[in-house]
Amino acid sequence: MPKRSASDEIAKKIAEARDQFAEVVRLRPDFAPGHLNYGVALAKLGQVREAYGHFRATLKLDPGNAMAAEYLRTIESAVQSGAGPAEPSSPPPAD
């Protein structure tokens, strides 16, 4: 059986975190830190469009969240420069 690289292990842990934060957001859609951490995990896995929506949801729930605002600026800058997804998605619908 081939050995897993350190980057494979990190990606696996990030995917596990993504799944856990998805459950947090499902159970507590009004919990800003859940959206923020879910967005971070998604972004680290390259799922930038979905991450964008969760960073927006974070700011809707917690307008002063500097980390979410910084992630949004980074994504929007990448989109404008042509390095990011063609069009960021909207925030997930509120339940």
Side-chain angles (χ1 to χ4, degrees):
M1 183 179 288
K3 278 187 152 181
R4 292 185 102 158
S5 71
S7 62
D8 288 341
E9 288 298 319
I10 291 169
K12 181 180 175 188
K13 289 195 180 294
I14 294 170
E16 290 170 2
R18 175 204 54 208
D19 296 345
Q20 291 173 358
F21 286 117
E23 184 68 2
V24 169
V25 167
R26 186 184 74 75
L27 294 171
R28 296 270 318 275
D30 60 337
F31 185 58
H35 284 283
L36 176 65
N37 288 307
Y38 188 27
V40 170
L42 288 165
K44 286 180 182 274
L45 293 170
Q47 298 171 328
V48 179
R49 287 178 183 215
E50 193 173 351
Y52 184 88
H54 287 284
F55 295 136
R56 292 210 26 203
T58 301
L59 288 175
K60 183 176 180 182
L61 296 166
D62 178 9
N65 191 301
M67 185 178 284
E70 182 60 31
Y71 273 106
L72 281 177
R73 280 192 295 273
T74 300
I75 292 170
E76 289 166 351
S77 177
V79 168
Q80 289 176 353
S81 72
E87 205 175 299
S89 67
S90 300
D95 289 316

